[in-house]
Amino acid sequence: MVLARSEVARGRGPAKGTAVRLGLLAVPLAFFALFFAYPVVAIVGRGLKDGGHWQFGRFGEVLGDPDIAHVLWFTVWQAAASTALTLLIALPGAYVFARFEFPGKQLLRAVVAVPFVLPTVVVGTAFLALAGRGGLLDELWGVRLDTSVWAILLAHVFFNYAVVVRTVGGLWGQLDPRQEEAARVLGAGRLAAWRRVTLPALGPAVAAAALMVFLFTFTSFGVVQILGGPTFSTLEVEIYRQTADFLDLPTAAVLTLVQFAAVLGVLAVHAWTVRRRESTLRLVDASRTARRPRGGGQWALLWGTLAVIAVLLLAPLVVLVERSFAGPDGYSTAFYTSLRSAASADSTFSVAPLDALWNSLAYGAAATVIAVVVGGLAAAVLTLPRLRRGPSGRTPAISRFVRGFDVLLMLPLGVSAVTVGFGFLISLDTPPLDLRASWWLVPLAQALVGVPFVVRTMLPVLRAVDVRLREAAAVLGASPWRAWREVDLPLVRRALLIAAGFAFAVSLGEFGATVFIARPDRPTLPVAVARLLGRAGETNYGQAMALSTLLMVVCAGALLVLERLRPADHSGEF
């Protein structure tokens, strides 16, 4: 899979490297071309074409609409505010997890990451149970935050806290503290040493985390749809409304392209910050930098971080569980019991709501297999050695394409999932790709979201494999496939399992595309929760809380397993 240096020296390396790259790229390229690019282009073309001609004048009409301008402004504003608030609250937590050693640290690290893998629908439901109409705060003090911008911002912090802790904290724990200590010995104060030594080293990681948080909040859908009500709308929510409620495909197409351009810009900057972080730092074993807190200030920081985690991250989840048991006649399992059968005449479903759990598990398993295969091959391509520059001094086109492909792999995280889902319906409707009635339509859409997580999880580990091991296998006559099986696979097996776990967790929570393509008799858990919340009645609300709790338990269980597999010195992005 990787070129031996002896082959490069004999001049056969570049040609063989190009062939290997093209061969490995075939599957990821075909997958993204058929199930991402084609549906998106089809739905955008359907909206912007009239009589076979592109109607680019629609951009001026749509973007000149005051209501759309307000949506654009709110989308950018809430994403920037959510990012700033997340950094403010999460950076102290990143320091605590990086530098302090305390009982239960590994378990708490897993607990902190649970919100990140929860579906946005469940996050919105949890905050609704805490601060919505009839929620705990409403019952106790008459405080309601639903349809409030603060509910949206706090829910985004809840969702993205782990992004900052893992991205920044993972790197912070591997920075050599002796550099800052040397600055203090030379006379710099604690704050000055941190500002001049540690902060510049952390800069790329902080920037990468901020950009990822901005990306996730810029494209927020489930949280804003549930907590924002009719008052607040992001681009993603507006695309859904224009498509599903008004069937205004031209407006939806314009908004999709605007969002696509913004996301592409964010991802390009993010890729630059990641390359800078990887190329400029010398890291040490994280286990050598963590120690027990010393002094009142460090203990206060630790307890303050634990308080933030308890109030901001755990409280909504605890209230979600409490609401799922709180029936009209006191606490009971009535809502859980009612999930096992198709409910009353005003039911949202023609099947038992609990069937959504089994549907989600089956869809998630299939999506995980697809994501691991596609994402694993893509990661393998991205870790191949760069080809040598040609006589003109320019990098070969294949190398430039592969670097661009790294950015493109992240696009499904930012491009409107609503557009992808509706694009599936209108584009995959003719043989041999008539998949509208196929069971595989949902896993294919979910796998699009899982692939970026597989790639970002596998890349650091694959890049850490010593190329000399592969070269030795090649010298001994092993084929590229056997060298990968005998050398790479044993070293990356744990990372592969972690990638599969992340792909499974995010597949369970995919909502934007699935809400369009899931059949009424085979809903997924997020779709079921959204439908239940959309209907009045205490039974529907209680069932939504019960289903959300079940989904939370499944995601949390998967994450706890991943945390046990996670290497102690892992500093990947997720």
Side-chain angles (χ1 to χ4, degrees):
M1 182 175 294
V2 178
L3 301 176
R5 291 179 183 174
S6 57
E7 291 179 319
V8 174
R10 289 194 298 267
R12 297 202 303 267
K16 185 176 180 180
T18 302
V20 170
R21 285 173 182 244
L22 292 177
L24 293 178
L25 273 174
V27 173
L29 280 178
F31 178 78
F32 275 85
L34 288 176
F35 302 115
F36 179 68
Y38 178 48
V40 170
V41 171
I43 187 65
V44 170
R46 182 73 63 92
L48 291 181
K49 275 188 175 182
D50 184 14
H53 301 287
W54 291 95
Q55 304 296 316
F56 293 109
R58 291 291 300 171
F59 280 87
E61 298 175 15
V62 172
L63 299 180
D65 186 329
D67 293 334
I68 298 298
H70 182 268
V71 169
L72 291 171
W73 174 85
F74 179 75
T75 300
V76 176
W77 180 87
Q78 63 82 28
S82 297
T83 302
L85 192 60
T86 302
L87 290 175
L88 179 66
I89 294 175
L91 281 176
Y95 177 81
V96 166
F97 280 100
R99 294 302 197 199
F100 293 165
E101 195 64 51
F102 52 90
K105 178 180 176 179
Q106 185 177 16
L107 176 62
L108 191 62
R109 190 196 301 272
V111 170
V112 164
V114 167
F116 179 68
V117 299
L118 286 179
T120 54
V121 171
V122 174
V123 174
T125 305
F127 273 81
L128 203 63
L130 177 64
R133 181 187 297 274
L136 182 64
L137 297 183
D138 190 17
E139 290 182 356
L140 295 178
W141 299 295
V143 175
R144 288 180 52 198
L145 292 179
D146 60 326
T147 69
S148 164
V149 69
W150 277 108
I152 296 172
L153 297 182
L154 290 175
H156 284 159
V157 175
F158 170 89
F159 185 76
N160 293 293
Y161 185 91
V163 176
V164 177
V165 168
R166 293 211 166 210
T167 304
V168 180
L171 178 63
W172 209 335
Q174 293 182 279
L175 291 180
D176 192 342
R178 292 174 296 183
Q179 297 177 359
E180 188 174 325
E181 293 170 0
R184 297 194 63 193
V185 168
L186 294 174
R190 182 183 298 274
L191 180 61
W194 181 84
R195 179 170 53 85
R196 295 177 180 177
V197 177
T198 304
L199 183 59
L202 286 177
V206 174
L211 287 167
M212 289 308 298
V213 174
F214 185 87
L215 175 66
F216 291 141
T217 53
F218 184 85
T219 58
S220 182
F221 178 50
V223 167
V224 178
Q225 187 183 42
I226 291 176
L227 298 178
T231 307
F232 301 105
S233 178
T234 58
L235 269 175
E236 184 80 0
V237 174
E238 191 63 26
I239 291 170
Y240 174 79
R241 290 176 180 172
Q242 296 294 335
T243 303
D245 296 343
F246 307 126
L247 292 178
D248 188 350
L249 294 186
T251 298
V254 170
L255 296 181
T256 295
L257 291 177
V258 171
Q259 180 169 302
F260 179 85
V263 166
L264 194 61
V266 171
L267 289 177
V269 177
H270 177 266
W272 176 78
T273 61
V274 170
R275 288 196 300 270
R276 182 183 172 194
R277 180 180 62 182
E278 290 175 345
S279 60
T280 60
L281 297 176
R282 294 183 61 186
L283 306 179
V284 298
D285 185 354
S287 62
R288 294 165 47 193
T289 67
R291 62 186 66 178
R292 288 182 61 84
R294 294 177 297 182
Q298 292 190 355
W299 279 106
L301 180 60
L302 173 60
W303 285 110
T305 298
L306 295 178
V308 168
I309 293 173
V311 173
L312 183 62
L313 303 186
L314 296 183
L317 301 180
V318 172
V319 173
L320 176 65
V321 176
E322 186 270 340
R323 296 285 101 170
S324 70
F325 288 101
D329 302 320
Y331 291 106
S332 69
T333 59
F335 293 135
Y336 289 91
T337 303
S338 65
L339 295 177
R340 294 184 296 182
S341 60
S344 57
D346 66 342
S347 171
T348 308
F349 302 101
S350 59
V351 296
L354 190 60
D355 288 349
L357 173 61
W358 313 120
N359 294 337
S360 287
L361 293 176
Y363 288 142
T368 299
V369 173
I370 299 171
V372 168
V373 171
V374 175
L377 289 174
V381 171
L382 295 174
T383 54
L384 286 174
R386 294 179 180 176
L387 298 181
R388 296 180 299 176
R389 296 178 182 271
S392 64
R394 300 182 60 185
T395 303
I398 183 64
S399 290
R400 295 196 300 271
F401 175 77
V402 168
R403 289 201 297 269
F405 187 61
D406 188 12
V407 176
L408 295 176
L409 288 170
M410 297 289 288
L411 280 178
L413 293 180
V415 172
S416 171
V418 172
T419 299
V420 174
F422 199 49
F424 267 41
L425 291 181
I426 70 168
S427 62
L428 304 179
D429 60 344
T430 55
L433 287 177
D434 187 1
L435 301 177
R436 287 175 301 174
S438 171
W439 181 88
W440 286 96
L441 198 63
V442 172
L444 287 170
Q446 293 175 341
L448 284 171
V449 182
V451 167
F453 288 90
V454 173
V455 173
R456 307 263 59 100
T457 302
M458 294 292 297
L459 268 180
V461 181
L462 285 172
R463 285 172 175 162
V465 175
D466 192 341
V467 69
R468 290 173 296 182
L469 297 175
R470 303 186 187 109
E471 292 173 357
V475 169
L476 294 174
S479 65
W481 164 247
R482 185 176 180 184
W484 182 87
R485 188 179 72 245
E486 301 291 342
V487 175
D488 290 68
L489 184 58
L491 296 174
V492 304
R493 183 182 292 114
R494 177 175 290 188
L496 190 63
L497 292 174
I498 294 174
F502 265 119
F504 180 73
V506 298
S507 297
L508 287 179
E510 205 291 317
F511 176 64
T514 308
V515 71
F516 277 96
I517 60 181
R519 293 169 49 181
D521 60 338
R522 294 189 66 91
T524 63
L525 273 176
V527 172
V529 170
R531 291 180 184 175
L532 288 167
L533 288 176
R535 297 289 298 270
E538 190 171 20
T539 299
N540 285 323
Y541 178 81
Q543 287 182 333
M545 297 296 160
L547 280 180
S548 296
T549 300
L550 291 176
L551 186 51
M552 179 190 71
V553 169
V554 173
C555 290
L559 198 63
L560 287 172
V561 172
L562 294 182
E563 192 61 31
R564 293 186 66 86
L565 294 171
R566 178 182 178 272
D569 60 347
H570 177 71
S571 61
E573 291 176 64
F574 298 113

